[in-house]
Amino acid sequence: MRKHLKADEWSIIEEGFNPENQRSSESIFSIGNGKMGQRANFEETYSGSSLQGSYVAGVYFPDKTRVGWWKNGYPEYFAKIINSANWIGIRVFANDEELDLNHCQVDDFVRILNMKVGTLTRKFTVTLPSGNKLQIESIRFVSMADNEIGVIKYSVSPVNFSGKISFFPYLDGDVENEDSNYDEKFWNILESNSNNGEAELLTQTKKLDFRVAFHMLYSLQIDNANVIAKPELISTSTLSGNKAILPVNKAQTATIYKYVGVCSNLNYKNQELIKEAKKQSGIALSKGFDHLLEAHKNVWKKKWETSDIQIEGDIEAQQGIRFNIFQLNQTYTGDDDRLNVGPKGFTGEKYGGVTYWDTEAYCIPFFLSTAPSNVTKQLLIYRYKHLQKAIENAQKLGFKDGAALYPMVTINGEECHNEWEITFEEIHRNGAIAFAIHNYIRHTGDEQYLVDYGLEVLIGIARFWSQRITWSGEKQKFVMLGVTGPNEYENNVNNNWYTNKIATWCLKFTLESIKKVKQLNKTKYDSLAEKITFDYEVETTRWNQIIDKMHFPFNEKLNVFLQQDGFMDKEQLMASDIDLSQRPINQHWSWDRILRSCFIKQADTLQGFYLFENEFDNDTIKKHFNFYEPRTVHESSLSPCVHSILASKIGDTQKAYKLYLRTSRLDLDDYNNEVHEGLHITSMAGTWMSIVEGFGGKRVYDGKLSLNPIIPDKWSLYSFKMQFQGKNIDVKVTKQSVVITSLSSSQLYLNIYGKTFLLKSNDTLVVEK
């Protein structure tokens, strides 16, 4: 664990410059706007350890799979959201001596990510090798209001000398991905041009012909007065920029405003890209820094109005939840159904930056409650549009007749993960997608989605389960062989309880959905059945047989469902038995040793208890929690949140709070020693779930919203806002009461502590504990 950040309610603050923290801080202080994002690399040259990262949503590279032994069904490539041209670069010189924090004395360094308004600021004093001292201040943002614009304000003040300050703003396309399988650079540079006061770059991926254009304009000031300097034009085959020299006296301030337009051929024709990027930078220059910043702040203000969570009495807990909400909102905005929530967002390269089951299992609950319903609907339509690819993915593995296996990792619907135990076996992801459809409908009431899109997806998934499940003559039960559950520390197991559970639930939900669609629109149902050659009697007969006779591993002596067949054959140790020097075990143990251990990476059986807790009484949930949680090492970012929710459910508030802190500060405190690779964006939604579903006890039963709030000892109050079936409410929880305020013009029936209440429009309801 690494704690080098100052606690603050609305900001992430780093005081003092330590090069050992630089790559981690580059991740933590990243900024984005849903269309593009940027790691917190320095604008000026930095020759120390750094991971340069500039990302454009939807632009990827199919990096050829690298495996030692090819197997049938392996994907040909791993899709990567790739590092694009460096648009933030501004080389800085003082009397021709270049600023590089790796070769200077750095004092009074502070870096601030203001989450309330979405800006990244740095301030510091630096002494160059010559003895010349400078004061530096920079502020940048990628506009949430104009999402193809990036803006930088960079100021330099000589402290102990007068002389010349040179700014060299540039665009650099000579970039690489650290995770390139074959050390290949992924970009061609088609155009690189500089003119007085501007520069442009047109880049093209070496495969798939994604093109991204960058256009830069800038303005200069000395002590807030505009100045014009005739620049030196610099243009190479990969870099374009200007070098402007300003005479500056001691204690004066030289400032450059850099405006960059970033446009891709996802949104424009190839021949229009440079023109459109130039248009965006021109808009930015004409509006000016202050106007752009104000519009950017206003967007953030609206986002916080619907998604903020307030905690009183615990500043680290407050900072943690706001950091997680901030990152989620700047990663995905829901205005493009071609995009999704990458597990690293715009903060790093690991995982390829593409779509996992995390979106459906963790992110959708967050967006359902904090954003307009169309935001979640876009995520579901993303999967609907990939249905044919999911069918093709299943065909590659030998399935047929419209069976659909959604990929574990994808960007275009095609599987692109090359670890066999994941690609072939972690099939529970199909269940997460089906559950997301259910979750969306029960929260929004939008049953028409089932008619228009959802049922076709559900039948494809049900067909897969029907073919993947086999009959065991020995057990006289249906079984699921050779799978990997959410717990990736056990591979190729038989009858993973969670996978069997979610599969049978999918079959039940699909049967219910068929009935519903027939009621809503029989003509549409008949048309779909004909389109996909669906034989209701034949196919549903087998589904019902599976539902009735599915095998679920169970230990009679312990009276618990087993994670999978043979789990008790393992030596039963507790996570607390592991020497701390060996944690995390995935960084110290061989894979063989991990697989033979009983240790659980993340919630697995308990994942099922979280989703289907209404099927179990509290004693059963508690028994399973007390059995599995001590064996869990929480080395997946997706783990602590589910355990925190269940701990709240069974009344173990202290455990719930401890696990909440772990999930909310997973990246801020670098629990797993991997933040330098990027943040855990998708699991951040689990932090929100830990409060709203955990401490807040939010559930949906029979179409009604239910709340059962508890409060950690350290907190005096917490509050959250949420929407449910088009109605918005504000919930405040104290030690004494729950106060619910309607923010809508229509009434809402809801259940609080087991009793039904009517919340009238624009009214407040107080429930004493």
Side-chain angles (χ1 to χ4, degrees), residues 308-326:
D308 187 29
I309 289 180
Q310 179 186 2
I311 297 172
E312 293 184 2
D314 191 342
I315 194 168
E316 285 200 339
Q318 176 69 87
Q319 183 184 43
I321 185 59
R322 283 190 172 137
F323 178 68
N324 286 261
I325 293 171
F326 172 78

Side-chain angles (χ1 to χ4, degrees), residues 535-600:
D535 188 324
Y536 177 84
E537 293 299 330
V538 172
E539 297 197 46
T540 63
T541 295
R542 178 169 170 83
W543 299 355
N544 279 305
Q545 290 171 345
I546 293 171
I547 292 167
D548 290 340
K549 294 190 176 182
M550 192 70 186
H551 169 61
F552 295 100
F554 188 79
N555 185 285
E556 298 285 350
K557 182 178 179 181
L558 297 171
N559 199 29
V560 296
F561 289 106
L562 293 181
Q563 186 144 302
Q564 72 272 332
D565 287 345
F567 181 74
M568 294 308 296
D569 291 337
K570 298 189 173 201
E571 183 181 10
Q572 295 299 308
L573 302 174
M574 303 296 112
S576 58
D577 295 328
I578 305 171
D579 190 289
L580 290 179
S581 68
Q582 298 296 298
R583 302 285 298 271
I585 61 174
N586 62 19
Q587 296 175 19
H588 294 88
W589 290 9
S590 69
W591 195 242
D592 170 72
R593 184 180 179 186
I594 289 173
L595 292 179
R596 287 185 288 105
S597 78
C598 72
F599 298 121
I600 301 167

